Amino acid sequence: KTSGTVMLFLLFLAFALAEEVIDSTDYNWEFLGRDSHTYLQTYKVSQSTQNLHTTKRMIHPVSRTAYSCYIPLPIPIPEEPKVEGPPPTFEELLEPLSSSCLIRTEGWWTYEFCYGQHMRQYHLEKDNSIPVDANFYLGLAEVKTDEIGVKSLAPGVATPSFYYEKYIDGTICDLSGKPRESEIQFYCREGASSIISGVKEPSSCLYTVIIETPLMCKHPQYKPEKVKVNNINCFEEPLPTEEELAAPPAPVPEPPSQTQTPEQKVDPAVSSVPFKEPATPEAIKEAEAVKKALMKEQNIRAELRRQEVLKLKQQEQLKRKQKQQNQGEQQNQEQNQEQEQKQKQESKQKQEQKQEVQQKKQEQPKQKQQENEKREL
């Protein structure tokens, strides 16, 4: 069948089923021939939920093949309650990531992201040890200093698609001689866990780290829209009999194996790399020792910086808790003041009522005396 014929058939079905699908947001169409290995299984599912569907018989305009289509009834999407007040900050939303680090292994390297602390790349040996020359900090959480000299973690930037933070002052890059840096991008991911979905290096020692987390979905700017998607299953006639439905399912065919092409090997004789005299074993050992010493010194500096960032993070958490406590105490004081005012008003009303009763009691003898005088006259 050509693509033009398929498009014509879909347009024909869309107009023919307009009354049934007009209330739906989105539909997935699936046309199953009797030669499909999922034909019977899908038909059984549609039959089990027959009370939730309406059926329509369609005839292909070209092949004249008959289809029985199961159209799901419209299901309304429940409205979510509106949240009053300003949305939470990104720092508050991502705070749960501080409790543990995210790990991702890609081949020889392992990547470790600890929110508010560092982004690290290292190689893990079989005995779980990390060699000195295979441990790189790709960036540490950025720290800002205000006019007074108080240090705090720098805020990130919100874009239409994601929120990102800069991690700077990592291990010195051999190519550029500058510290490694990373841009940590946070995306909304519906699910139960947060993951490092990818690490890229657009330029030398400048990295882009993709973090997918359900925490970002709680922010109204990145909250995914809920779309109602229903499936319309159309089955080629004649429909299966009871004997066919009772028969065991046919085995699913295995996909064809893909042959891998061997990697191309470079002939050293044709290589464009200029020839160099081989280094002596003593020179190699000396270079390795110098490199390990430099790496050790850089890692010590990075560790000190990481501890400083962690200390700032803990200070910010304490400030946030103290602020929440102060807000709670202020609310309690306001509630106590309101109760005191209410009690004062109630006591005032009671005193006024007592005074009115006393006045009435004092006026009663006078009224009786006046009535007696009137009678005597």
Side-chain angles (χ1 to χ4, degrees):
K1 297 178 182 179
T2 62
S3 59
T5 304
V6 174
M7 288 298 298
L8 177 64
F9 186 39
L10 290 176
L11 288 172
F12 176 74
L13 285 176
F15 283 111
L17 302 178
E19 295 180 358
E20 286 81 358
V21 302
I22 193 169
D23 294 331
S24 178
T25 303
D26 195 7
Y27 275 85
N28 289 331
W29 298 75
E30 186 172 5
F31 302 94
L32 297 170
R34 290 186 64 87
D35 56 346
S36 173
H37 66 275
T38 61
Y39 180 87
L40 291 176
Q41 185 178 359
T42 310
Y43 183 77
K44 289 178 183 179
V45 174
S46 299
Q47 285 290 99
S48 64
T49 58
Q50 192 172 6
N51 58 336
L52 303 177
H53 296 74
T54 58
T55 57
K56 189 94 174 180
R57 190 170 185 268
M58 306 300 301
I59 304 295
H60 195 285
V62 178
S63 65
R64 310 305 299 171
T65 304
Y67 288 89
S68 289
C69 298
Y70 285 73
I71 307 160
L73 298 175
I75 303 174
I77 300 176
E79 294 184 0
E80 294 185 359
K82 295 182 180 179
V83 180
E84 297 182 356
T89 62
F90 292 106
E91 290 78 10
E92 292 172 348
L93 286 177
L94 298 174
E95 183 63 30
L97 290 178
S98 303
S99 60
S100 61
C101 299
L102 303 180
I103 304 294
R104 177 184 177 88
T105 301
E106 290 185 5
W108 202 73
W109 291 108
T110 297
Y111 297 94
E112 176 188 74
F113 173 68
C114 301
Y115 178 69
Q117 299 181 40
H118 65 263
M119 179 68 199
R120 188 164 64 131
Q121 176 187 13
Y122 58 87
H123 171 65
L124 197 64
E125 298 287 355
K126 292 182 179 179
D127 58 353
N128 291 332
S129 63
I130 301 175
V132 178
D133 56 349
N135 183 23
F136 303 93
Y137 282 93
L138 307 187
L140 304 175
E142 188 176 2
V143 177
K144 65 173 184 178
T145 306
D146 59 10
E147 298 175 354
I148 308 174
V150 178
K151 294 182 179 181
S152 61
L153 295 178
V157 179
T159 70
S161 303
F162 57 88
Y163 166 80
Y164 72 88
E165 294 180 354
K166 289 285 188 179
Y167 279 51
I168 60 174
D169 294 338
T171 306
I172 300 298
C173 178
D174 296 335
L175 299 175
S176 64
K178 298 178 180 180
R180 287 173 165 83
E181 294 184 6
S182 294
E183 180 177 287
I184 314 297
Q185 299 178 356
F186 299 91
Y187 288 83
C188 164
R189 173 182 181 264
E190 292 185 305
S193 59
S194 304
I195 60 170
I196 304 174
S197 63
V199 179
K200 301 176 183 178
E201 190 176 0
S203 56
S204 297
C205 300
L206 297 177
Y207 305 88
T208 301
V209 183
I210 308 298
I211 306 293
E212 295 182 355
T213 171
L215 300 173
M216 290 297 296
C217 303
K218 298 178 182 179
H219 197 278
Q221 184 173 345
Y222 303 112
K223 193 172 186 179
E225 296 182 0
K226 289 189 176 180
V227 180
K228 181 176 58 177
V229 180
N230 292 323
N231 291 326
I232 295 181
N233 294 320
C234 296
F235 303 94
E236 182 182 354
E237 296 184 356
L239 297 177
T241 61
E242 294 182 359
E243 294 179 355
E244 290 177 324
L245 293 174
V252 179
E254 295 183 357
S257 60
Q258 298 179 354
T259 56
Q260 296 182 351
T261 57
E263 297 182 358
Q264 295 181 353
K265 296 183 179 180
V266 180
D267 187 356
V270 190
S271 175
S272 59
V273 179
F275 177 76
K276 292 182 179 180
E277 289 290 340
T280 61
E282 291 79 7
I284 294 174
K285 286 183 180 179
E286 186 178 356
E288 287 180 352
V290 171
K291 186 176 180 181
K292 286 184 178 180
L294 289 173
M295 289 293 298
K296 187 175 181 180
E297 183 181 355
Q298 291 173 7
N299 288 339
I300 290 173
R301 290 179 182 176
E303 181 63 23
L304 292 174
R305 174 69 189 284
R306 188 187 71 83
Q307 291 176 2
E308 181 186 0
V309 170
L310 183 59
K311 187 177 179 181
L312 288 172
K313 189 75 176 176
Q314 291 172 350
Q315 290 176 355
E316 286 189 354
Q317 289 176 352
L318 289 174
K319 287 180 181 178
R320 194 174 296 133
K321 287 181 180 178
Q322 189 174 1
K323 185 179 178 181
Q324 291 175 353
Q325 289 176 356
N326 294 335
Q327 289 177 350
E329 290 176 358
Q330 187 177 358
Q331 288 178 356
N332 291 333
Q333 289 178 358
E334 291 176 355
Q335 289 177 357
N336 292 334
Q337 289 177 358
E338 288 179 358
Q339 288 179 357
E340 288 178 0
Q341 290 179 356
K342 190 175 180 181
Q343 288 175 357
K344 288 179 180 179
Q345 289 178 355
E346 288 178 354
S347 61
K348 187 178 179 181
Q349 289 177 357
K350 287 180 180 179
Q351 287 178 359
E352 290 176 353
Q353 289 176 357
K354 284 182 179 180
Q355 289 176 358
E356 288 179 0
V357 171
Q358 288 177 358
Q359 277 183 350
K360 286 181 179 179
K361 286 182 179 180
Q362 291 174 0
E363 291 175 355
Q364 280 179 359
K366 291 182 181 180
Q367 289 177 356
K368 285 182 180 180
Q369 187 177 358
Q370 289 177 359
E371 286 177 0
N372 291 333
E373 290 176 356
K374 286 181 181 179
R375 286 177 185 173
E376 291 176 359
L377 292 173

